[in-house]
Amino acid sequence: MSASDSVSLSQQRVGVWLIGARGSVATTVVAGCAAVTAGLHAPTGLVTETPVFADSGLPALSSLVFGGHDTLDCPLPKRAEALAAGGVLPPGLPTAVAAELAAADREIRPGGPVPGDARTEEELIASFAEDMRDFVRRKRLDRAVVVSVASTEPPATGRSLPPSSLYAAAALRAGCPYVNFTPSTGLHHPELAAAAASSGLPYAGRDGKTGQTLLRSVLGPMFTQRALAVRAWSGTNLLGGGDGAALADPAAAAAKNAGKERVLADTLGTTPEGEVHIDDVPALGDWKTAWDHIAFDGFLGTRMILQTIWQGCDSALAAPLVLDLTRLVARAHEAGLSGPLGELGFYFKDPVGEGPSALAEQYAALTGLAERLAGARAGESAGDRGGTGDGSGRSGRADGSGRLGELR
């Protein structure tokens, strides 16, 4: 890729359509992107701002345009003020980026279904998809990436599509690449499998790896590589905010814990004794504490213990990852990649596609993707895709035999 090609790609206007657009993570994403773009803060936590991605042709942070769906009506500027009062955002930042927050808030559309909502699944999908298409058209975007950062929902049962899957289906219909940053079902619903496969769109997920599981993906391989036998691995999470309230539901907590357990099983080669408990502590707000207790055997069966404590701000941990994923998936779409982006497993507890669970191996796969994108010819995407009039570079419809086709 030539230097001029890279500049051209970085100047594209890319939409970021956030599901859960008025939540803590989404608000931090919008405020943080504005702050970094304006030079008010360094891009700490943004992997895509490190040298390995310099030649990958990623869209510039300044090119991102925000919108989304939410069932809440608290304006983003007010939400940002509450986050600053809780220490999540720096003091004064909501005022400094008030214009950017207000601009994003104007692009948020009512989500659903809400209590008493009589719309059918097809009507909801059609409405959500039209909101996404309208956003791309009005803002004259080259493409838009749909990213779910909504609260965790219980696992899906039966053929009915949960809200996360309705939004995922709408993304496919609108011709938008999709990222599921939550443990919710999203595109994992079997009724959407054929539609996702035939859409020709790249997608990534699920459940962002921000704290406890990030540490597990490093420590698990350490024990294996040093031939130390892990007997038990137990953990506790204390958190508040919307996620804490949502995870007070045992079914939602089970969906969250599945990814944590998978990392241990994959990196250790076995599933040790122990469970992860999640406790809702409203007073903690957006802050969380994760404690792990690891019992392992050393030489001659000597019994030993490792304990770790991770204390962090969930929104501040998640926001840079959301920006990374948006830029990477948008560039993958531009380069003509489609299907599950397994190379993005570095960011997830339960990644789509095939790939390792150890963080070092996942990072190697991610840097491999960076090199692949850097080597892609700028003209490939333009040559493979005809314009559709909506700026998405896709027809906006999936023609497979899956349920998305039935719901049109």
Side-chain angles (χ1 to χ4, degrees):
M1 180 182 299
S2 69
S4 60
D5 289 334
S6 179
V7 170
S8 175
L9 288 170
S10 68
Q11 290 178 343
Q12 290 191 4
R13 286 170 57 82
V14 173
V16 188
W17 191 262
L18 298 164
I19 309 303
R22 290 194 170 112
S24 297
V25 172
T27 305
T28 307
V29 167
V30 176
C33 184
V36 173
T37 297
L40 300 177
H41 288 271
T44 305
L46 278 167
V47 180
T48 51
E49 285 294 294
T50 60
V52 70
F53 293 95
D55 298 321
S56 295
L58 303 183
L61 291 172
S62 60
S63 76
L64 302 184
V65 182
F66 296 93
H69 281 115
D70 209 319
T71 57
L72 303 177
D73 57 8
C74 179
L76 283 181
K78 185 175 181 179
R79 181 65 173 153
E81 290 173 1
L83 291 176
V88 178
L89 296 179
L93 184 61
T95 300
V97 299
E100 289 86 348
L101 289 166
D105 193 69
R106 288 193 293 270
E107 299 300 329
I108 298 176
R109 300 294 177 261
V114 295
D117 201 327
R119 289 177 292 178
T120 65
E121 288 183 349
E122 161 58 22
E123 290 171 335
L124 286 162
I125 292 170
S127 175
F128 297 157
E130 181 51 34
D131 287 339
M132 296 169 188
R133 291 196 197 100
D134 180 63
F135 175 61
V136 171
R137 285 193 298 262
R138 286 186 302 98
K139 307 305 288 187
R140 299 182 180 274
L141 305 174
D142 293 277
R143 69 197 73 252
V145 178
V146 175
V147 186
S148 179
V149 290
S151 296
T152 303
E153 65 188 18
T157 58
R159 292 195 64 188
S160 296
L161 299 180
S164 65
S165 295
L166 296 174
Y167 289 117
L172 296 182
R173 187 174 297 190
C176 297
Y178 174 79
V179 177
N180 186 3
F181 201 74
T182 79
S184 301
T185 304
L187 276 185
H188 275 65
H189 200 289
E191 297 293 332
L192 300 182
S198 64
S199 70
L201 295 165
Y203 55 91
R206 67 183 167 173
D207 199 2
K209 184 164 56 184
T210 59
Q212 184 180 44
T213 310
L214 177 67
L215 194 58
R216 287 180 167 209
S217 67
V218 175
L219 292 177
M222 178 194 74
F223 285 108
T224 299
Q225 292 162 3
R226 291 296 297 268
L228 297 171
V230 174
R231 292 184 291 107
W233 198 316
S234 300
T236 294
N237 283 257
L238 308 176
L239 70 162
D243 213 25
L247 293 172
D249 180 342
K256 185 79 171 178
N257 285 336
K260 295 176 181 288
E261 294 169 357
R262 174 184 168 180
V263 168
L264 291 184
D266 288 353
T267 57
L268 296 175
T270 184
T271 302
E273 294 180 7
E275 297 178 348
V276 176
H277 297 275
I278 300 177
D279 295 331
D280 177 26
V281 185
L284 293 180
D286 205 54
W287 299 82
K288 67 178 181 182
T289 296
W291 170 73
D292 271 25
H293 184 281
I294 308 158
F296 65 100
D297 290 344
F299 190 53
L300 304 179
T302 305
R303 295 200 161 187
M304 292 176 270
I305 297 292
L306 171 64
Q307 295 186 53
T308 66
I309 299 176
W310 177 287
Q311 294 179 304
C313 174
D314 212 29
S315 296
L317 290 166
L321 308 188
V322 171
L323 291 170
D324 278 348
L325 287 162
T326 297
R327 301 173 80 191
L328 288 163
V329 174
R331 177 66 186 101
H333 188 220
E334 168 67 25
L337 304 186
S338 63
L341 297 176
E343 298 95 332
L344 298 182
F346 176 78
Y347 292 99
F348 299 103
K349 297 182 182 73
D350 188 19
V352 299
E354 299 296 326
S357 293
L359 191 70
E361 295 175 45
Q362 290 178 330
Y363 182 70
L366 180 64
T367 58
L369 176 63
E371 294 172 0
R372 183 180 178 188
L373 294 175
R377 291 178 301 173
E380 283 180 346
S381 182
D384 292 343
R385 296 183 183 82
T388 63
D390 66 358
S392 68
R394 292 288 182 189
S395 65
R397 295 191 178 270
D399 297 324
S401 58
R403 195 162 183 223
L404 183 59
E406 297 173 10
L407 291 172
R408 282 203 295 252

